[in-house]
Every structure is written in C-alpha cells, then in structure tokens.
Amino acid sequence: VVKVSAQGRIAIDMDEVVADSLGRFLDIYAREFGTRIAREDLRGRHLFDAVPAEHREAVRGYPRREEFFHDLDVIPGSVEAVRALSARYEIFFATAAMEYPNSFLPKYDWLHRHFPFVPWRNFVYCGDKSVIRADVLIDDHRRNFRGFEGRGLLFSAPHNLLEEGVERVRDWAHVCELLLR
Amino acid sequence: VVKVSAQGRIAIDMDEVVADSLGRFLDIYAREFGTRIAREDLRGRHLFDAVPAEHREAVRGYPRREEFFHDLDVIPGSVEAVRALSARYEIFFATAAMEYPNSFLPKYDWLHRHFPFVPWRNFVYCGDKSVIRADVLIDDHRRNFRGFEGRGLLFSAPHNLLEEGVERVRDWAHVCELLLR
C-alpha cells in the first residue's frame, strides 16, 4: 500500500458509487421501450444483458446522449459518508470519464453541487485507473483494481452482486464502518 | 520509483510540453494590447509578471476563453519523440485540465488529432498531479513533482529557465537521449 499522506488517500469512483447512473439507464429504457426493469432483476448482470438482444445497441448508446449525465441522483448516504471520510482522509474522485466526452462538464458540475467540500484539484478523469495513486479505491468494477496498488473495495451494485474473492462494501454505512473506526 | 510495467510508464504534461499554450498567450496579448512580447523576454518569468500590472488580470483570464485551447501549435519534436517513446514505454498524458473546464473537449480533440497512437484510456485530467502513478513525469512546473514518487523531468519553458536543482530536459531530442538509449 502506498502511503500518500498521514491519513491516507481514498479514490472514489462516480457511476454507481456516488452517482446513480443505473437509475438513469432504467428511466430511459422504461420511457423508450415501455418496460420498467427493476434493480432486483439485474442481480449479477448488466442492463445490456438483461434486455432483448435487439435493444442492446440502443442501451449501450445511452451514456453518449447529451443529457445522460445531467442531474443524476446521489447514491444514498454517499454525501454524508464522504464528508465524514474527508475529515480523516484525502478524498479524490476518480472517474473513467474519458470514455464519454459528453460527461466531462456534467460530471464536473455535479461533483461541485453535491460534494462542495471536495476541491476541484481532487477530481480525476481517466480511462485506466491503474494510473491512480491512492491507498484505497472504492469502485463498482473489479477490473479497475487490476494494477491498482492499494486496497480495492468493491462497492455493491446490481451487476457485481455475484462476484466473490474481492473485498466488498455493501453501502456507504459499511464503508464508514471499515474506514472510520 | 514505482515500476508499473515492464518498460515503465511515462506521464506527460500538455501545456508548454506538447502544446504551445504560451504561443497562444503571446498572440492574444499582441492582438489586444498591440505589443508583441518575445519568448526571449520571458526568461525566468511568466507572462503575467512581464506585462504592466494593469494587464495582469486580463492575461490571467485568457485560458478561460472559449477558444483558448483550440488548435494550439504542437511543441517542436514532440509528436515524433512521443511516438518513439511509445514503442518502449506506456505513455499517459496528464494535464491539470480541472482548472479550466472549457479546456476539457478541446484538449481531448487535440490529443486525438496530434497523438492518435496514444489511446484515450491513457488521457488523464487532474488538478493535483501527486495522484498520478508513473515512473517518469515530464512537466514544465516543478511544483508538480511534489508528492510524485517517480523521476521528475523539468521540460524547459521560458518561465522555468532559471530554476536549478532539478533534472531538466531542454527539448524533446534531449528526452529521447535520456530515455531511449
């Protein structure tokens, strides 16, 4: 583990960790295909794999839409938890924004609005998270721990619920239990 | 030094290292104040410190203008050098874009156009470069080596020419001499 500050540094992913992008996917899908898919139906799979094959391309394209990243809901408990963590740790938001250039400005505005206590100097947009130096990475994609030298915490999201052999955090209360005691 | 891949990873700053943002500053200043300042007049100082005090605020505001980051010239030799380096090293571009949200899209387009052999997964926008994990960081600002664990190479730019006690690279030919022999 790299020790980057007295307290340590935590890098936090955005989508499905602090920002409810899955909710946006489900809303657009319901509006356009008339079927409301529930989060419980996505246990262990992505929405792409849960819809009929002929809808997949459309669903994959949602994040490229201009409005996709605007006004996403906040994942429950995340604001309070990150505020509490920021008293003890250096907090960075690290998001693979490079995949979706239309997300650059909305993500920046969203972080400022919901996490005003985290300075813009601590926002990171990247593609490959192995470039991040931190003690802890909280992320819903296990692949992002490949090449990461610190402690990876898999934040529970429907698509990853069946994964094993990785340290998991169920929700933000669980993160605080682990990192603030 | 963190060894992140067999060959090693090089993180490269953009402004005044691969992109000639100083040229844009000088052009706008000449157009708006009627005085063409030469690069040689900036030995050891920033443009802000070389202009009359009453012009400083205007000059500091240039990078916030919509067009500032569009079509910047490429620093001589950088494309060929980075192409050669990319055969031996993992190349990341790491730019403190967070200070200027208007730079997000132009920087992304510019990198794609001039360095098409570096994938978008290897672009990083950050504020504080201590979050970058790489073996080498090539940057024109010495302050960006603070907290960086690898080897910092100060890329010569007019404003840093008087700085000492840091490993300096004069130009891209010099970088290749150091890293490709």
Side-chain angles (χ1 to χ4, degrees), chain A:
Chain A
V1 175
V2 195
K3 210 68 195 148
V4 286
S5 75
Q7 329 89 308
R9 174 182 289 173
I10 303 176
I12 301 172
D13 174 40
M14 288 182 71
D15 293 310
E16 301 202 55
V17 175
V18 295
D20 185 14
S21 49
L22 175 59
R24 177 63 42 89
F25 269 108
L26 297 174
D27 285 349
I28 302 180
Y29 188 78
R31 193 174 69 218
E32 302 201 345
F33 292 103
T35 305
R36 163 67 55 186
I37 294 176
R39 289 171 201 258
E40 299 72 51
D41 298 333
L42 296 175
R43 197 174 166 77
R45 55 188 183 162
H46 286 277
L47 178 58
F48 322 111
D49 302 316
V51 300
E54 64 271 26
H55 295 173
R56 274 180 205 152
E57 269 313 290
V59 171
R60 283 193 186 281
Y62 291 172
R64 291 179 206 291
R65 297 190 184 185
E66 198 47 46
E67 76 283 6
F68 185 87
F69 293 97
H70 287 264
D71 299 320
L72 294 178
D73 287 338
V74 172
I75 296 285
S78 61
V79 173
E80 302 71 14
V82 176
R83 189 185 283 115
L85 289 164
S86 71
R88 283 256 294 268
Y89 298 90
E90 249 189 310
I91 302 295
F92 278 71
F93 285 110
T95 174
M98 286 303 153
E99 191 169 359
Y100 303 112
N102 58 303
S103 76
F104 294 165
L105 286 173
K107 277 177 181 278
Y108 184 88
D109 292 339
W110 190 93
L111 285 175
H112 270 303
R113 187 169 342 128
H114 295 289
F115 295 87
F117 46 92
V118 177
W120 59 261
R121 289 192 177 278
N122 293 17
F123 300 170
V124 186
Y125 292 174
C126 57
D128 174 350
K129 289 190 186 170
S130 76
V131 76
I132 301 292
R133 193 158 69 86
D135 300 290
V136 176
L137 171 60
I138 303 174
D139 205 294
D140 66 312
H141 285 286
R142 181 186 199 148
R143 63 168 184 264
N144 288 328
F145 303 142
R146 268 203 310 258
F148 177 68
E149 285 193 329
R151 177 183 182 185
L153 297 179
L154 186 71
F155 194 89
S156 285
H159 71 85
N160 69 30
L161 287 178
L162 304 180
E163 293 188 34
E164 295 181 356
V166 56
E167 190 176 14
R168 175 186 296 280
V169 283
R170 291 182 307 276
D171 53 26
W172 278 100
H174 190 187
V175 173
C176 289
E177 256 174 60
L178 281 180
L179 300 179
L180 285 180
R181 54 177 182 191

Side-chain angles (χ1 to χ4, degrees), chain B residues 125-140:
Chain B
Y125 292 174
C126 57
D128 175 350
K129 289 190 187 170
S130 75
V131 78
I132 302 292
R133 194 158 68 86
D135 300 291
V136 176
L137 171 60
I138 304 175
D139 205 295
D140 67 311

